[in-house]
Amino acid sequence: MTPILGILLATSFVASLVALGILIWAVANNLIFAGKAEASTIFMEGEIGHPDDSASFGGENEAQSHRFDVLRAGIDRAGKGPVMVLVTAGILWLLIGSVFGVIASLKLHWPDWLADIAPITFGRARTLHLNIVAYGWLSVTGIGVALWVLPRIFHTPLRRPNMAYLGAFLWTLGVLGGTLAIASGWSDGIEWLEFPWQIDILLAAGGFFLAWPAIETAARRKSRHIYVSGWYFLAGMVWFPFLFLVANIPGLHMGAQQATVNWWFAHNVLGLWLTPIGVGAAYYVIPKIIGKPVFSYSVSLLGFWGLALFYSQVGIHHLMGGPIPTWAVTLSVVHSIMMFVPVIAVAINQHVTVANNMWAFKQSMALRFVWIGALMYTLSSFQGSLEALRSMNSITHFTHYTVGHAHLGAYAFVSLVLFGTVYYMMPHILGRRWPYPKLIQTHFWLVVVGFAIYFVSLTTAGILQGTALMDPGSSFAEITKTMVPYLEGRSIGGTLMTLGHFVFAAHFALLLLQKEGRSKAVDTFAPAEAS
Amino acid sequence: MNKLLPLLIGAIGVLLLATLMLVILPAWQMRTAEPPQRLQPYTEQQLLGRQQYVANGCIYCHSQQPRSTGQTLFDGAQGWGRASTPGDYFYDAPHLLGTMRTGPDLLNIGARMKSRDWHLTHLYQPRAIFDWSLMPSYPYMFEVKDEAAPDDVVVRLPAQFQPSGGRVVVAREEALDLVDYLLSLDRTYPASEGELQKRDRGYDHRPETTETPSNAG
């Protein structure tokens, strides 16, 4: 048995390396075209060299983009409805999810606070927070962004917008149903899969009706090349349904074996769903704002297929030292370390592009959110790879350190990228400016400072907790008492982040409520409205 | 990357490989496990209690997977029990391995804390037992009554946690079920060598002891 498994283990690793080797060889020999021309498909003729950020720039830059947006506004128009519905729903879920997060955080150091209200006991509030931000805020807003970016990179309007409306409705209903279920104590009990499977059917149907328009739009694209954001979004839209269906089949998995399914699913939700959303959005927004194609486009192929090959097999590192066969754990450790490859590939593309154009970073609030988010992707991935080393994992496993790491990925990376993307796309969709640019800065500083406090608190707490949990001489009472100030710090950071979200949501509401006539329409859209 | 179909097929192909490695092969190896002889299936009441454990999210602070002595001596020193094996979870659906230790590991809590009264007091007000505890109190699993009925289980509390006016705290069905489940958690029987082969031994430099550490229970 052991040799067979050893051979399989080696096969998986060698197969991944060979696949990547073939890819590099193909790119090097021009069998796959991924050069400047392909990287420039996001631009229309004459657009390169002209920065574009209606959320921040004014003056001459505005005049520059004046000529080009007629066509693109036409492309945006078909999908405008579903995209606006998805983004609005996503922001509402962000507010609800954040409030549950703060409640759960406070309850960790005020254990008797509101203890008689069962729906918000710590175990439920924490679970509501996770599911609402993952399947409400991140997924719903992410799909909205994808349905806006895909038609643009394919140079053709979104197909079947009515189907997308139906999908958005079913998905939102599913998240609402799951929320009520968890609050009332009806849960499947598996981390990241707490929504009862009966309610998950709504999410599955919703996801189907949201993915169909995206894939049909891709099939009827007017551009020959599929831009890198498209790979991530489209792959995510087939990965997530596959993961979600297999993990939710009732009665199929049980016992310790179910734990492997659990973490295969849960880590892939991050790696093959939320990460593609964040990386895909950043790959579109960064070069668009700067007005130049990404730095080294062919490397992005390596980033994408490396992510697919390695990220998909890292999940079992969550079960290190547990009742799971050694080889499965080792396999995930090896692939976790290999994640350095795709992460560095993405970093080369995105960070060098921005670093060469720091003027844009200073001027554009949208780019500031997106690039800091992209930097946090690099950091959280490096941290994740190191955390998967056995020596490191022995300390960080079972501690608040992991929670800090999860928020570095899901929040500092994906959420920040989504904030910036929403700031960038709304003026393009609505044809009017954000009414109070100062509020964007307020939002930025609240979430950045809040997150810094949050992350430092939990990381320090986790290291102290983890070292003590390895020391047979320490007592549980002492460990618990040591945690309190750091848990309080986390509540302060989380509250600041939540305040930032309310500023963001209020600004978004003001933007929606503005009457077309009274607001100063973005000049770039004048010709589009006239046509 | 100019073709849609190869992109989607490639993406699914890679995920199928991952599913083979992380789901199908471990399942093939682990599902052959026989339940250990001394492990009893849960009773109906224990299963109801298990549902309470799930519904109230106990898993988010309590793991159910003691570590091996090769990795750390802490778990043994706490009396949490020997390193667990796949067979220990034979009757578990959903699995409740957990990923956090804000509170102690509970796989052998039934062997460690055998008193139903202790558990009821601790669920009603953890700080009645440990003043430093951060565990939530669960008042909604209990009822405050003027007088206990004959079949009521009265919660024993220190004076400062007693309700005023001579009233008493009695356990609701939820609390009794949950405690019954907690008392059933006992995997202190020895694990067979075959079972130990199926757990992660990546930390173990010496052969794992098959005996329960003497201070467990």
Side-chain angles (χ1 to χ4, degrees):
Chain A
M1 185 104 164
T2 314
I4 300 175
L5 291 170
I7 291 166
L8 283 169
L9 194 78
T11 312
S12 147
F13 184 60
V14 172
S16 303
L17 281 187
V18 169
L20 277 194
I22 293 173
L23 182 68
I24 293 169
W25 174 80
V27 172
N29 289 285
N30 284 333
L31 294 175
I32 298 177
F33 293 102
K36 272 279 180 279
E38 283 74 19
S40 303
T41 46
I42 54 170
F43 299 105
M44 294 188 178
E45 204 182 329
E47 240 178 9
I48 295 182
H50 300 296
D52 161 41
D53 179 13
S54 44
S56 310
F57 299 149
E60 52 186 314
N61 296 323
E62 222 169 87
Q64 286 293 357
S65 35
H66 195 91
R67 314 168 254 164
F68 311 112
D69 259 28
V70 186
L71 220 170
R72 204 174 272 125
I75 287 174
D76 282 353
R77 199 173 295 127
K80 176 181 169 181
V83 170
M84 287 307 297
V85 166
L86 285 162
V87 173
T88 310
I91 293 174
L92 286 174
W93 285 125
L94 171 71
L95 295 185
I96 301 170
S98 312
V99 168
F100 279 117
V102 172
I103 291 175
S105 177
L106 289 170
K107 276 171 172 271
L108 265 186
H109 50 90
W110 295 342
D112 289 318
W113 179 60
L114 303 178
D116 45 359
I117 310 174
I120 54 165
T121 185
F122 172 79
R124 295 190 198 172
R126 173 226 175 267
T127 311
L128 288 168
H129 164 68
L130 183 142
N131 282 276
I132 291 173
V133 295
Y135 302 119
W137 154 243
L138 295 171
S139 298
V140 171
T141 316
I143 295 171
V145 166
L147 292 186
W148 180 70
V149 170
L150 288 173
R152 289 182 145 229
I153 62 175
F154 294 147
H155 302 180
T156 189
L158 181 73
R159 297 306 194 291
R160 299 195 190 277
N162 287 336
M163 203 186 247
Y165 273 124
L166 176 64
F169 174 73
L170 290 175
W171 185 293
T172 308
L173 203 63
V175 179
L176 186 66
T179 301
L180 295 175
I182 292 173
S184 65
W186 180 26
S187 158
D188 277 353
I190 301 165
E191 283 187 72
W192 290 85
L193 286 163
E194 285 96 345
F195 284 175
W197 64 265
Q198 294 88 339
I199 292 174
D200 286 333
I201 296 170
L202 283 173
L203 287 168
F208 175 80
F209 291 127
L210 286 163
W212 183 298
I215 290 174
E216 190 173 329
T217 307
R220 302 194 174 192
R221 66 188 183 280
K222 294 276 176 358
S223 62
R224 202 177 71 87
H225 176 68
I226 301 179
Y227 183 68
V228 52
S229 300
W231 316 339
Y232 282 102
F233 289 149
L234 294 170
M237 284 180 185
V238 297
W239 280 330
F240 184 69
F242 182 94
L243 292 163
F244 197 69
L245 289 176
V246 172
N248 267 306
I249 299 171
L252 183 60
H253 315 287
M254 66 181 296
Q257 178 262 327
Q258 193 182 41
T260 68
V261 183
N262 187 173
W263 290 106
W264 163 83
F265 173 82
H267 212 101
N268 279 335
V269 170
L270 303 171
L272 300 185
W273 176 235
L274 301 182
T275 300
I277 287 173
V279 174
Y283 259 125
Y284 181 74
V285 176
I286 289 176
K288 279 295 291 174
I289 291 180
I290 294 174
K292 288 176 193 161
V294 290
F295 174 71
S296 175
Y297 191 62
S298 54
V299 174
S300 60
L301 274 166
L302 189 66
F304 175 77
W305 289 109
L307 178 102
L309 283 166
F310 299 130
Y311 217 145
S312 59
Q313 303 194 41
V314 304
I316 309 299
H317 66 214
H318 287 267
L319 294 164
M320 252 187 260
I324 304 295
T326 315
W327 68 266
V329 175
T330 307
L331 175 74
S332 280
V333 174
V334 170
H335 284 286
S336 302
I337 302 303
M338 290 307 288
M339 272 303 291
F340 274 109
V341 174
V343 170
I344 290 172
V346 171
I348 289 174
N349 261 311
Q350 299 187 343
H351 304 335
V352 177
T353 308
V354 180
N356 286 341
N357 298 279
M358 283 309 281
W359 55 270
F361 178 72
K362 286 179 195 136
Q363 289 180 39
S364 163
M365 284 309 293
L367 184 62
R368 212 182 285 186
F369 275 105
V370 174
W371 190 43
I372 290 185
L375 281 173
M376 294 305 133
Y377 171 57
T378 312
L379 275 190
S380 68
S381 299
F382 284 4
Q383 188 191 23
S385 294
L386 295 177
E387 247 177 296
L389 291 171
R390 281 185 183 275
S391 48
M392 185 66 180
N393 192 268
S394 268
I395 293 172
T396 62
H397 202 42
F398 297 130
T399 73
H400 297 295
Y401 188 93
T402 316
V403 183
H405 168 66
H407 283 78
L408 187 63
Y411 189 81
F413 160 40
V414 188
S415 294
L416 251 56
V417 168
L418 287 179
F419 292 145
T421 307
V422 170
Y423 281 127
Y424 173 74
M425 76 186 209
M426 280 307 132
H428 284 283
I429 293 181
L430 296 173
R432 50 183 188 264
R433 292 185 166 282
W434 288 93
Y436 303 100
K438 281 263 183 292
L439 288 183
I440 305 183
Q441 292 199 20
T442 314
H443 175 202
F444 179 81
W445 287 111
L446 279 170
V447 300
V448 166
V449 172
F451 183 75
I453 297 174
Y454 182 101
F455 184 75
V456 171
S457 301
L458 283 192
T459 303
T460 320
I463 293 169
L464 293 174
Q465 187 189 10
T467 356
L469 282 173
M470 291 292 286
D471 169 13
S474 59
S475 86
F476 216 88
E478 277 314 311
I479 299 174
T480 309
K481 284 186 233 172
T482 317
M483 290 301 103
V484 174
Y486 300 99
L487 295 175
E488 288 166 349
R490 184 248 286 268
S491 290
I492 293 170
T495 307
L496 289 179
M497 287 147 70
T498 303
L499 281 178
H501 303 160
F502 276 92
V503 171
F504 172 52
H507 199 186
F508 183 77
L510 289 172
L511 176 73
L512 291 188
L513 291 173
Q514 262 184 341
K515 293 256 161 55
E516 299 269 347
R518 278 193 314 192
S519 75
K520 186 180 147 234
V522 176
D523 297 346
T524 51
F525 280 77
E529 315 241 305
S531 63
Chain B
M1 294 297 294
N2 297 328
K3 296 254 189 317
L4 182 62
L5 212 55
L7 171 74
L8 297 182
I9 292 173
I12 280 294
V14 171
L15 185 52
L16 282 174
L17 173 70
T19 311
L20 173 73
M21 300 307 293
L22 300 194
V23 175
I24 298 170
L25 288 179
W28 166 65
Q29 187 181 5
M30 291 160 77
R31 293 291 281 268
T32 55
E34 292 284 313
Q37 265 183 348
R38 283 170 56 191
L39 181 67
Q40 298 296 316
Y42 296 109
T43 65
E44 211 161 301
Q45 193 186 7
Q46 286 161 0
L47 284 174
L48 287 173
R50 208 167 185 275
Q51 278 177 19
Q52 288 299 324
Y53 191 95
V54 168
N56 293 290
C58 307
I59 189 180
Y60 304 109
C61 290
H62 296 284
S63 59
Q64 290 194 12
Q65 44 166 328
R67 306 200 234 192
S68 69
T69 48
Q71 186 179 4
T72 174
L73 296 173
F74 180 86
D75 293 22
Q78 295 289 314
W80 290 349
R82 64 164 169 82
S84 60
T85 67
D88 293 332
Y89 305 92
F90 189 83
Y91 300 109
D92 282 16
H95 84 90
L96 296 171
L97 289 179
T99 47
M100 278 295 277
R101 284 184 174 173
T102 310
D105 192 277
L106 295 183
L107 190 66
N108 293 299
I109 186 67
R112 200 154 76 233
M113 286 290 181
K114 294 177 199 284
S115 154
R116 182 172 75 164
D117 284 346
W118 186 93
H119 282 291
L120 287 174
T121 306
H122 189 248
L123 281 175
Y124 178 72
Q125 181 46 275
R127 279 150 297 284
I129 296 177
F130 303 116
D131 61 357
W132 47 266
S133 174
L134 293 178
M135 182 168 130
S137 46
Y138 294 94
Y140 57 87
M141 291 190 196
F142 297 84
E143 208 173 338
V144 179
K145 285 186 171 179
D146 290 335
E147 216 174 310
D151 54 350
D152 275 345
V153 181
V154 177
V155 179
R156 293 161 57 176
L157 290 166
Q160 78 262 35
F161 292 100
Q162 288 282 6
S164 57
R167 289 178 302 162
V168 291
V169 177
V170 302
R172 287 183 200 267
E173 207 48 55
E174 298 98 287
L176 295 173
D177 292 343
L178 179 53
V179 171
D180 200 42
Y181 167 65
L182 293 174
L183 293 175
S184 80
L185 288 174
D186 179 357
R187 271 84 164 176
T188 49
Y189 50 81
S192 71
E193 186 49 35
E195 270 292 309
L196 285 170
Q197 291 286 353
K198 288 183 197 152
R199 61 160 278 113
D200 180 16
R201 308 183 90 183
Y203 289 105
D204 300 343
H205 306 298
R206 51 207 142 107
E208 173 73 38
T209 169
T210 53
E211 294 302 314
T212 302
S214 56
N215 50 1

